[in-house]
Amino acid sequence: MQRIALVYFVVALIETLTTKRRPLVLSPGHLSIFTAYRWQWIGGFIAFSFYMITTYSLYIPDWSFINHKEGKAYTVKCGMRGHLGPACNAVGYVDREILGINHLYKSPAWQHLKACTLSSPRSGPFREDAPGWCHANFEPEGLLSSISAILSGAIGIHYGHVLMHFKGHSQRLKQWLSMAIGLLVLAFLLHFSHAIPINKQLYTISYVCLTAGAAGVVFSGFYILIDVWGLRTPFLFLEWIGMNSMLIFVLGAQGILAAFINGWYYNNPNKTLVTWIKTHVFIDAWHSWNLGTLLYVIFAEITFYGVLAGILHKLGMYWKL
């Protein structure tokens, strides 16, 4: 939530302060929308530059910490710059120095790596030879990585500007898909050339390009189905979720509703209605933890929240600012 708030604040601030500096009508040309909203792109470029310069130029010294749960001290050897691995990246270093390691997330995704646990890619007990950084806290929504997310916001608002200024279906789709496909190509080039790997924890630029490009393709797909072909009814549940997006995010993405339901269990905390449905209806039926979990999210969680949002819509109940 904090990262979303920061990105929205920065993008909205630029949008508000530059209202009188952009034309009401775009000049002809495919790139006219970029020049009209150049201040938004300048803001995104500044965020991109700050992230890249800090990530690749900041010196990361050796660092130590105490795992209070284990009562054991660890030292991580670094002494380098520009490293994007779990141990010596600038994102973690900035958070440790400013926020303090004890204020960071205690169960980071790093702990699921093979170097940390034999249960990889799921969580499990640490290996006996697990490196020290496996036991350290790490903030996946930290300070430096949130700066990189501002570029995501700039790209997202560009999709909205296209919707405002271009009225024809073909014009809109040409703008969206050219941007989205270009971003996806750039993301895969950066990743598979090993220049900048796609990494959500560090919010690398390749990750920004991948998610922004994928969002553009998916958005264009829904636009074709709903606005061009007129297939609105099958997707009404998404409209309802969008009308109550804040409530659904808090209940679903933050796990509040699931935590409440899982508070009611039989014999032990692992025997709840949610875990029974997920395990027996999906995972056991497909004999795959990954596929079963994916199907559970699509056909159980999203369907449930779609129905909930639909009921709230019929009752005229919305949670908004």
Side-chain angles (χ1 to χ4, degrees):
M1 291 293 283
Q2 297 92 329
R3 172 173 287 172
I4 295 173
L6 172 66
V7 172
Y8 276 29
F9 173 76
V10 173
V11 172
L13 187 63
I14 297 174
E15 190 80 4
T16 302
L17 295 178
T18 60
T19 301
K20 297 180 179 180
R21 298 190 178 189
R22 59 177 180 263
L24 296 176
V25 179
L26 296 180
S27 57
H30 185 80
L31 300 179
S32 60
I33 192 167
F34 294 95
T35 56
Y37 290 95
R38 58 185 174 275
W39 290 106
Q40 283 77 358
W41 289 108
I42 290 173
F45 179 76
I46 291 173
F48 162 76
S49 301
F50 182 85
Y51 174 85
M52 292 295 288
I53 292 171
T54 306
T55 298
Y56 286 96
S57 65
L58 186 63
Y59 178 76
I60 314 299
D62 299 345
W63 52 284
S64 301
F65 66 97
I66 298 175
N67 186 310
H68 295 285
K69 185 177 180 180
E70 301 174 359
K72 186 176 179 181
Y74 295 92
T75 298
V76 180
K77 297 292 184 180
C78 290
M80 61 183 70
R81 289 184 174 88
H83 188 65
L84 298 179
C88 304
N89 59 78
V91 172
Y93 176 71
V94 170
D95 290 337
R96 290 192 300 271
E97 291 297 305
I98 297 178
L99 303 177
I101 193 169
N102 293 325
H103 296 282
L104 306 183
Y105 185 53
K106 293 178 172 57
S107 301
W110 305 132
Q111 295 179 354
H112 298 181
L113 296 176
K114 291 181 180 180
C116 299
T117 177
L118 295 174
S119 302
S120 179
R122 285 177 278 179
S123 60
F126 288 119
R127 300 167 57 119
E128 293 183 2
D129 59 345
W133 52 263
C134 291
H135 303 265
N137 299 343
F138 179 84
E139 183 53 61
E141 296 192 1
L143 300 174
L144 185 58
S145 55
S146 294
I147 299 297
S148 177
I150 293 174
L151 181 58
S152 292
I155 298 172
I157 202 171
H158 168 75
Y159 292 143
H161 291 153
V162 170
L163 189 64
M164 290 171 50
H165 289 283
F166 295 91
K167 304 307 178 183
H169 294 322
S170 61
Q171 290 178 307
R172 289 173 173 174
L173 289 168
K174 187 185 297 182
Q175 289 281 343
W176 288 331
L177 289 174
S178 61
M179 166 70 82
I181 294 173
L183 289 171
L184 287 174
V185 170
L186 179 59
F188 291 128
L189 284 176
L190 290 173
H191 179 74
F192 290 106
S193 66
H194 304 289
I196 304 177
I198 296 170
N199 191 316
K200 182 181 185 298
Q201 302 300 306
L202 304 182
Y203 226 88
T204 56
I205 297 304
S206 55
Y207 175 79
V208 171
C209 293
L210 174 68
T211 52
V217 171
V218 172
F219 182 66
S220 299
F222 279 120
Y223 181 81
I224 293 171
L225 291 171
I226 298 170
D227 292 85
V228 179
W229 294 350
L231 301 175
R232 182 184 176 188
T233 303
F235 303 101
L236 276 176
F237 73 99
L238 296 176
E239 187 175 325
W240 298 334
I241 291 175
M243 291 177 177
N244 246 322
S245 56
M246 288 184 61
L247 178 63
I248 300 303
F249 180 83
V250 171
L251 292 179
Q254 298 300 308
I256 292 178
L257 183 60
F260 174 78
I261 296 176
N262 286 332
W264 304 84
Y265 57 85
Y266 176 72
N267 282 342
N268 66 72
N270 292 323
K271 292 184 178 181
T272 68
L273 178 61
V274 173
T275 54
W276 189 91
I277 293 174
K278 183 178 179 180
T279 302
H280 296 284
V281 178
F282 294 96
I283 297 177
D284 289 350
W286 292 93
H287 305 287
S288 170
W289 188 89
N290 292 331
L291 179 59
T293 301
L294 175 63
L295 295 176
Y296 164 77
V297 171
I298 294 174
F299 293 105
E301 289 196 345
I302 295 179
T303 301
F304 171 80
Y305 286 115
V307 172
L308 175 62
I311 294 173
L312 294 175
H313 172 61
K314 294 299 181 183
L315 296 175
M317 299 174 62
Y318 307 99
W319 186 9
K320 56 185 178 181
L321 296 177

